[in-house]
């Protein structure tokens, strides 16, 4: 399970009052999960990072938190691709195919830059807007909205971001 700080915990006991996922089943076959740092998209991340002035570690942290590097991911709310762009956001960022890694990363990076400019570089507000939508941040008087999913998303992305920027500290 993941705690409130975004830290993963593995246990052989069912955690009380927590949502959890079984990693190793009774028959001891581990499910397939991706490693923390997937380098498959580094070239595209760096390219779009330079084009739009967004830290590549932040792009990668958002991608890890949103899709775990799965270009075919679709959320229950309809977000699509590596950076989990909602259809309206994809259109706004001129993404024709949200499942094409290059287009998705470009659109997600452009959106992060737009949010960074809108919220004056405040990372918590940028991430809150990325997750819950910029209007919700504005409606909450330029504060992180009191949405548990959004607060967890911010913690998770910041955890990954720090780990990606300082890989030897983990």
């Amino acid at each position: 399970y993941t705690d409130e700080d975004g830290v993963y915990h593995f246990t052989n006991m069912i955690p009380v009052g927590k949502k959890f996922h079984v990693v190793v089943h009774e028959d001891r076959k581990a499910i397939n999960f991706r490693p923390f740092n997937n380098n498959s998209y580094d070239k595209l991340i760096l390219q779009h990072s330079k084009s739009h002035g967004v830290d590549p570690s932040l792009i990668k942290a958002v991608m890890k938190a949103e899709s775990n590097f799965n270009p075919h991911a679709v959320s229950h709310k309809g977000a699509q691709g590596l950076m989990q762009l909602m259809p309206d956001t994809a259109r706004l960022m001129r993404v024709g195919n949200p499942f094409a890694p290059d287009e998705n990363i470009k659109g997600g990076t452009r959106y992060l830059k737009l949010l960074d400019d809108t919220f004056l570089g405040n990372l918590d507000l940028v991430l809150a807007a990325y997750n819950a939508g910029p209007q919700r941040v504005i409606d909450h008087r330029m504060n992180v909205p009191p949405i548990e999913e959004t607060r967890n998303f911010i913690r998770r992305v910041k955890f990954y971001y720090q780990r990606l920027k300082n890989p030897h500290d983990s």
Side-chain angles (χ1 to χ4, degrees), residues 19 66 72-81 84-87 131 147 149 156:
K19 292 182 180 178
E66 287 286 19
H72 307 291
V74 178
S75 77
H76 65 281
K77 292 183 180 177
Q80 302 169 325
Q84 289 292 278
L85 300 175
M86 292 298 286
N131 179 262
I147 303 168
E149 175 190 333
R156 214 169 46 251

Side-chain angles (χ1 to χ4, degrees), residues 28-165:
R28 305 279 187 220
K29 291 181 184 173
I31 63 170
N32 181 19
F33 59 94
R34 294 172 178 22
F36 172 77
N37 188 2
N38 180 321
N39 298 319
S40 301
Y41 304 102
D42 285 0
K43 185 177 176 184
L44 293 171
I45 290 169
L46 197 55
Q47 174 189 338
H48 296 302
S49 162
K50 286 180 180 177
S51 295
H52 301 289
V54 177
D55 185 337
S57 294
L58 178 61
I59 297 166
K60 197 170 196 176
V62 169
M63 189 182 302
K64 167 70 177 162
E66 287 286 19
S67 70
N68 199 26
F69 306 111
N70 178 357
H72 307 291
V74 178
S75 77
H76 65 281
K77 292 183 180 177
Q80 302 169 325
L82 287 164
M83 298 194 70
Q84 289 292 278
L85 300 175
M86 292 298 286
D88 287 345
T89 303
R91 276 189 291 282
L92 178 68
M93 295 295 114
R94 291 179 252 132
V95 174
N97 179 0
F99 299 107
D102 183 46
E103 285 191 62
N104 191 280
I105 294 168
K106 181 179 181 180
T109 302
R110 287 182 70 224
Y111 192 51
L112 282 171
K113 178 61 174 168
L114 174 70
L115 296 174
D116 188 63
D117 291 347
T118 302
F119 296 104
L120 307 175
N122 181 318
L123 184 59
D124 284 359
L125 297 183
V126 168
L127 295 174
Y130 194 94
N131 179 262
Q135 193 58 50
R136 283 217 175 112
V137 174
I138 294 165
D139 290 348
H140 284 88
R141 297 187 173 106
M142 301 302 273
N143 288 297
V144 174
I147 303 168
E148 185 178 355
E149 175 190 333
T150 299
R151 292 176 187 269
N152 288 337
F153 174 77
I154 293 167
R155 279 192 286 269
R156 214 169 46 251
V157 172
K158 287 172 79 173
F159 171 77
Y160 296 147
Y161 185 40
Q162 282 306 116
R163 196 160 160 204
L164 288 162
K165 286 186 81 65

